[in-house]
PDB file of all heavy atoms in Angstrom:
ATOM      1  N   VAL K  36     -38.660  17.049 -16.876  1.00 80.00           N
ATOM      2  CA  VAL K  36     -38.654  16.841 -15.422  1.00 80.00           C
ATOM      3  C   VAL K  36     -37.245  16.511 -14.927  1.00 80.00           C
ATOM      4  O   VAL K  36     -36.789  17.059 -13.917  1.00 80.00           O
ATOM      5  CB  VAL K  36     -39.632  15.689 -15.052  1.00 80.00           C
ATOM      6  CG1 VAL K  36     -39.459  15.312 -13.566  1.00 80.00           C
ATOM      7  CG2 VAL K  36     -41.069  16.115 -15.337  1.00 80.00           C
ATOM      8  N   LEU K  37     -36.526  15.636 -15.648  1.00 75.00           N
ATOM      9  CA  LEU K  37     -35.181  15.291 -15.273  1.00 75.00           C
ATOM     10  C   LEU K  37     -34.257  16.477 -15.334  1.00 75.00           C
ATOM     11  O   LEU K  37     -33.403  16.644 -14.470  1.00 75.00           O
ATOM     12  CB  LEU K  37     -34.676  14.155 -16.176  1.00 75.00           C
ATOM     13  CG  LEU K  37     -35.359  12.816 -16.000  1.00 75.00           C
ATOM     14  CD1 LEU K  37     -34.825  11.785 -17.019  1.00 75.00           C
ATOM     15  CD2 LEU K  37     -35.150  12.252 -14.588  1.00 75.00           C
ATOM     16  N   VAL K  38     -34.402  17.284 -16.382  1.00 73.00           N
ATOM     17  CA  VAL K  38     -33.543  18.487 -16.495  1.00 73.00           C
ATOM     18  C   VAL K  38     -33.774  19.421 -15.310  1.00 73.00           C
ATOM     19  O   VAL K  38     -32.837  19.952 -14.729  1.00 73.00           O
ATOM     20  CB  VAL K  38     -33.844  19.232 -17.823  1.00 73.00           C
ATOM     21  CG1 VAL K  38     -33.225  20.605 -17.790  1.00 73.00           C
ATOM     22  CG2 VAL K  38     -33.312  18.428 -18.989  1.00 73.00           C
ATOM     23  N   PHE K  39     -35.022  19.592 -14.944  1.00 76.00           N
ATOM     24  CA  PHE K  39     -35.363  20.433 -13.817  1.00 76.00           C
ATOM     25  C   PHE K  39     -34.720  19.932 -12.525  1.00 76.00           C
ATOM     26  O   PHE K  39     -34.157  20.693 -11.728  1.00 76.00           O
ATOM     27  CB  PHE K  39     -36.912  20.477 -13.638  1.00 76.00           C
ATOM     28  CG  PHE K  39     -37.384  21.352 -12.469  1.00 76.00           C
ATOM     29  CD1 PHE K  39     -37.457  22.705 -12.606  1.00 76.00           C
ATOM     30  CD2 PHE K  39     -37.721  20.765 -11.274  1.00 76.00           C
ATOM     31  CE1 PHE K  39     -37.873  23.526 -11.559  1.00 76.00           C
ATOM     32  CE2 PHE K  39     -38.157  21.546 -10.211  1.00 76.00           C
ATOM     33  CZ  PHE K  39     -38.244  22.936 -10.341  1.00 76.00           C
ATOM     34  N   ILE K  40     -34.764  18.585 -12.350  1.00 78.00           N
ATOM     35  CA  ILE K  40     -34.171  17.991 -11.147  1.00 78.00           C
ATOM     36  C   ILE K  40     -32.647  18.160 -11.157  1.00 78.00           C
ATOM     37  O   ILE K  40     -32.024  18.560 -10.175  1.00 78.00           O
ATOM     38  CB  ILE K  40     -34.503  16.496 -11.073  1.00 78.00           C
ATOM     39  CG1 ILE K  40     -36.039  16.312 -10.835  1.00 78.00           C
ATOM     40  CG2 ILE K  40     -33.739  15.815  -9.955  1.00 78.00           C
ATOM     41  CD1 ILE K  40     -36.527  14.892 -10.905  1.00 78.00           C
ATOM     42  N   PHE K  41     -32.038  17.843 -12.312  1.00 71.00           N
ATOM     43  CA  PHE K  41     -30.585  17.974 -12.458  1.00 71.00           C
ATOM     44  C   PHE K  41     -30.113  19.417 -12.157  1.00 71.00           C
ATOM     45  O   PHE K  41     -29.108  19.660 -11.505  1.00 71.00           O
ATOM     46  CB  PHE K  41     -30.101  17.563 -13.848  1.00 71.00           C
ATOM     47  CG  PHE K  41     -30.036  16.084 -14.011  1.00 71.00           C
ATOM     48  CD1 PHE K  41     -30.501  15.472 -15.166  1.00 71.00           C
ATOM     49  CD2 PHE K  41     -29.512  15.269 -13.028  1.00 71.00           C
ATOM     50  CE1 PHE K  41     -30.417  14.112 -15.360  1.00 71.00           C
ATOM     51  CE2 PHE K  41     -29.415  13.893 -13.190  1.00 71.00           C
ATOM     52  CZ  PHE K  41     -29.884  13.317 -14.362  1.00 71.00           C
ATOM     53  N   TYR K  42     -30.878  20.369 -12.730  1.00 70.00           N
ATOM     54  CA  TYR K  42     -30.479  21.770 -12.576  1.00 70.00           C
ATOM     55  C   TYR K  42     -30.463  22.193 -11.122  1.00 70.00           C
ATOM     56  O   TYR K  42     -29.543  22.863 -10.661  1.00 70.00           O
ATOM     57  CB  TYR K  42     -31.401  22.656 -13.403  1.00 70.00           C
ATOM     58  CG  TYR K  42     -31.061  24.128 -13.297  1.00 70.00           C
ATOM     59  CD1 TYR K  42     -30.012  24.665 -14.022  1.00 70.00           C
ATOM     60  CD2 TYR K  42     -31.783  24.987 -12.447  1.00 70.00           C
ATOM     61  CE1 TYR K  42     -29.692  26.010 -13.941  1.00 70.00           C
ATOM     62  CE2 TYR K  42     -31.472  26.332 -12.371  1.00 70.00           C
ATOM     63  CZ  TYR K  42     -30.414  26.829 -13.091  1.00 70.00           C
ATOM     64  OH  TYR K  42     -30.109  28.139 -12.997  1.00 70.00           O
ATOM     65  N   HIS K  43     -31.505  21.791 -10.387  1.00 71.00           N
ATOM     66  CA  HIS K  43     -31.602  22.228  -8.996  1.00 71.00           C
ATOM     67  C   HIS K  43     -30.696  21.448  -8.054  1.00 71.00           C
ATOM     68  O   HIS K  43     -30.296  21.978  -7.018  1.00 71.00           O
ATOM     69  CB  HIS K  43     -33.062  22.145  -8.529  1.00 71.00           C
ATOM     70  CG  HIS K  43     -33.928  23.237  -9.048  1.00 71.00           C
ATOM     71  ND1 HIS K  43     -33.970  24.494  -8.502  1.00 71.00           N
ATOM     72  CD2 HIS K  43     -34.744  23.309 -10.156  1.00 71.00           C
ATOM     73  CE1 HIS K  43     -34.789  25.275  -9.163  1.00 71.00           C
ATOM     74  NE2 HIS K  43     -35.272  24.581 -10.179  1.00 71.00           N
ATOM     75  N   LEU K  44     -30.378  20.202  -8.429  1.00 72.00           N
ATOM     76  CA  LEU K  44     -29.545  19.393  -7.545  1.00 72.00           C
ATOM     77  C   LEU K  44     -28.036  19.568  -7.825  1.00 72.00           C
ATOM     78  O   LEU K  44     -27.248  19.522  -6.911  1.00 72.00           O
ATOM     79  CB  LEU K  44     -29.914  17.902  -7.694  1.00 72.00           C
ATOM     80  CG  LEU K  44     -31.296  17.480  -7.132  1.00 72.00           C
ATOM     81  CD1 LEU K  44     -31.467  15.998  -7.315  1.00 72.00           C
ATOM     82  CD2 LEU K  44     -31.399  17.846  -5.642  1.00 72.00           C
ATOM     83  N   PHE K  45     -27.719  19.766  -9.104  1.00 70.00           N
ATOM     84  CA  PHE K  45     -26.296  19.693  -9.470  1.00 70.00           C
ATOM     85  C   PHE K  45     -25.730  20.962 -10.089  1.00 70.00           C
ATOM     86  O   PHE K  45     -24.572  20.971 -10.540  1.00 70.00           O
ATOM     87  CB  PHE K  45     -26.068  18.529 -10.421  1.00 70.00           C
ATOM     88  CG  PHE K  45     -26.567  17.207  -9.907  1.00 70.00           C
ATOM     89  CD1 PHE K  45     -27.647  16.590 -10.491  1.00 70.00           C
ATOM     90  CD2 PHE K  45     -25.959  16.609  -8.834  1.00 70.00           C
ATOM     91  CE1 PHE K  45     -28.087  15.352 -10.024  1.00 70.00           C
ATOM     92  CE2 PHE K  45     -26.387  15.418  -8.329  1.00 70.00           C
ATOM     93  CZ  PHE K  45     -27.475  14.784  -8.937  1.00 70.00           C
ATOM     94  N   SER K  46     -26.492  22.023 -10.113  1.00 72.00           N
ATOM     95  CA  SER K  46     -25.967  23.266 -10.696  1.00 72.00           C
ATOM     96  C   SER K  46     -25.961  24.391  -9.712  1.00 72.00           C
ATOM     97  O   SER K  46     -26.798  24.499  -8.806  1.00 72.00           O
ATOM     98  CB  SER K  46     -26.845  23.639 -11.920  1.00 72.00           C
ATOM     99  OG  SER K  46     -26.472  24.925 -12.395  1.00 72.00           O
ATOM    100  N   ASP K  47     -24.974  25.289  -9.873  1.00 71.00           N
ATOM    101  CA  ASP K  47     -24.930  26.480  -9.052  1.00 71.00           C
ATOM    102  C   ASP K  47     -25.637  27.661  -9.746  1.00 71.00           C
ATOM    103  O   ASP K  47     -25.557  28.793  -9.282  1.00 71.00           O
ATOM    104  CB  ASP K  47     -23.431  26.880  -8.814  1.00 71.00           C
ATOM    105  CG  ASP K  47     -22.672  25.783  -8.149  1.00 71.00           C
ATOM    106  OD1 ASP K  47     -23.276  25.104  -7.304  1.00 71.00           O
ATOM    107  OD2 ASP K  47     -21.485  25.608  -8.437  1.00 71.00           O
ATOM    108  N   GLY K  48     -26.299  27.333 -10.880  1.00 69.00           N
ATOM    109  CA  GLY K  48     -26.915  28.402 -11.637  1.00 69.00           C
ATOM    110  C   GLY K  48     -25.948  29.101 -12.556  1.00 69.00           C
ATOM    111  O   GLY K  48     -26.284  30.136 -13.161  1.00 69.00           O
ATOM    112  N   ASP K  49     -24.736  28.528 -12.681  1.00 72.00           N
ATOM    113  CA  ASP K  49     -23.742  29.165 -13.535  1.00 72.00           C
ATOM    114  C   ASP K  49     -24.031  28.905 -15.013  1.00 72.00           C
ATOM    115  O   ASP K  49     -24.631  27.867 -15.371  1.00 72.00           O
ATOM    116  CB  ASP K  49     -22.370  28.559 -13.200  1.00 72.00           C
ATOM    117  CG  ASP K  49     -21.218  29.294 -13.897  1.00 72.00           C
ATOM    118  OD1 ASP K  49     -20.721  30.277 -13.341  1.00 72.00           O
ATOM    119  OD2 ASP K  49     -20.850  28.880 -14.998  1.00 72.00           O
ATOM    120  N   PHE K  50     -23.649  29.843 -15.855  1.00 76.00           N
ATOM    121  CA  PHE K  50     -23.908  29.742 -17.284  1.00 76.00           C
ATOM    122  C   PHE K  50     -23.291  28.481 -17.912  1.00 76.00           C
ATOM    123  O   PHE K  50     -23.803  27.948 -18.875  1.00 76.00           O
ATOM    124  CB  PHE K  50     -23.317  30.996 -17.999  1.00 76.00           C
ATOM    125  CG  PHE K  50     -23.576  31.069 -19.463  1.00 76.00           C
ATOM    126  CD1 PHE K  50     -24.860  31.307 -19.933  1.00 76.00           C
ATOM    127  CD2 PHE K  50     -22.547  30.882 -20.362  1.00 76.00           C
ATOM    128  CE1 PHE K  50     -25.098  31.354 -21.306  1.00 76.00           C
ATOM    129  CE2 PHE K  50     -22.777  30.943 -21.715  1.00 76.00           C
ATOM    130  CZ  PHE K  50     -24.045  31.169 -22.194  1.00 76.00           C
ATOM    131  N   SER K  51     -22.219  27.970 -17.286  1.00 80.00           N
ATOM    132  CA  SER K  51     -21.566  26.814 -17.826  1.00 80.00           C
ATOM    133  C   SER K  51     -22.388  25.556 -17.733  1.00 80.00           C
ATOM    134  O   SER K  51     -22.026  24.550 -18.325  1.00 80.00           O
ATOM    135  CB  SER K  51     -20.204  26.605 -17.142  1.00 80.00           C
ATOM    136  OG  SER K  51     -20.383  26.315 -15.751  1.00 80.00           O
ATOM    137  N   PHE K  52     -23.470  25.609 -16.987  1.00 85.00           N
ATOM    138  CA  PHE K  52     -24.358  24.450 -16.901  1.00 85.00           C
ATOM    139  C   PHE K  52     -24.916  24.100 -18.283  1.00 85.00           C
ATOM    140  O   PHE K  52     -25.378  22.989 -18.503  1.00 85.00           O
ATOM    141  CB  PHE K  52     -25.512  24.678 -15.912  1.00 85.00           C
ATOM    142  CG  PHE K  52     -26.402  23.478 -15.725  1.00 85.00           C
ATOM    143  CD1 PHE K  52     -25.968  22.380 -15.023  1.00 85.00           C
ATOM    144  CD2 PHE K  52     -27.684  23.458 -16.266  1.00 85.00           C
ATOM    145  CE1 PHE K  52     -26.780  21.259 -14.842  1.00 85.00           C
ATOM    146  CE2 PHE K  52     -28.516  22.336 -16.093  1.00 85.00           C
ATOM    147  CZ  PHE K  52     -28.064  21.262 -15.372  1.00 85.00           C
ATOM    148  N   LEU K  53     -24.881  25.030 -19.198  1.00 88.00           N
ATOM    149  CA  LEU K  53     -25.319  24.786 -20.557  1.00 88.00           C
ATOM    150  C   LEU K  53     -24.551  23.629 -21.155  1.00 88.00           C
ATOM    151  O   LEU K  53     -25.132  22.822 -21.922  1.00 88.00           O
ATOM    152  CB  LEU K  53     -25.156  26.024 -21.443  1.00 88.00           C
ATOM    153  CG  LEU K  53     -26.205  27.104 -21.337  1.00 88.00           C
ATOM    154  CD1 LEU K  53     -25.865  28.283 -22.262  1.00 88.00           C
ATOM    155  CD2 LEU K  53     -27.595  26.581 -21.655  1.00 88.00           C
ATOM    156  N   LEU K  54     -23.265  23.498 -20.833  1.00 91.00           N
ATOM    157  CA  LEU K  54     -22.486  22.389 -21.346  1.00 91.00           C
ATOM    158  C   LEU K  54     -23.006  21.064 -20.819  1.00 91.00           C
ATOM    159  O   LEU K  54     -23.117  20.079 -21.553  1.00 91.00           O
ATOM    160  CB  LEU K  54     -21.002  22.549 -20.949  1.00 91.00           C
ATOM    161  CG  LEU K  54     -20.102  23.408 -21.830  1.00 91.00           C
ATOM    162  CD1 LEU K  54     -18.688  23.386 -21.266  1.00 91.00           C
ATOM    163  CD2 LEU K  54     -20.136  22.933 -23.258  1.00 91.00           C
ATOM    164  N   THR K  55     -23.318  21.021 -19.516  1.00 90.00           N
ATOM    165  CA  THR K  55     -23.821  19.810 -18.908  1.00 90.00           C
ATOM    166  C   THR K  55     -25.221  19.501 -19.478  1.00 90.00           C
ATOM    167  O   THR K  55     -25.547  18.349 -19.814  1.00 90.00           O
ATOM    168  CB  THR K  55     -23.941  19.958 -17.394  1.00 90.00           C
ATOM    169  OG1 THR K  55     -22.650  20.318 -16.856  1.00 90.00           O
ATOM    170  CG2 THR K  55     -24.391  18.665 -16.734  1.00 90.00           C
ATOM    171  N   LEU K  56     -26.046  20.503 -19.608  1.00 89.00           N
ATOM    172  CA  LEU K  56     -27.391  20.326 -20.209  1.00 89.00           C
ATOM    173  C   LEU K  56     -27.280  19.800 -21.611  1.00 89.00           C
ATOM    174  O   LEU K  56     -28.057  18.914 -22.002  1.00 89.00           O
ATOM    175  CB  LEU K  56     -28.150  21.651 -20.153  1.00 89.00           C
ATOM    176  CG  LEU K  56     -29.576  21.606 -20.698  1.00 89.00           C
ATOM    177  CD1 LEU K  56     -30.428  20.563 -19.967  1.00 89.00           C
ATOM    178  CD2 LEU K  56     -30.223  22.993 -20.589  1.00 89.00           C
TER     179      LEU K  56
END
Side-chain angles (χ1 to χ4, degrees):
V36 171
L37 291 176
V38 167
F39 181 80
I40 293 173
F41 281 137
Y42 180 78
H43 284 278
L44 290 181
F45 305 113
S46 173
D47 301 325
D49 189 88
F50 183 70
S51 65
F52 183 72
L53 280 179
L54 275 183
T55 305
L56 181 57

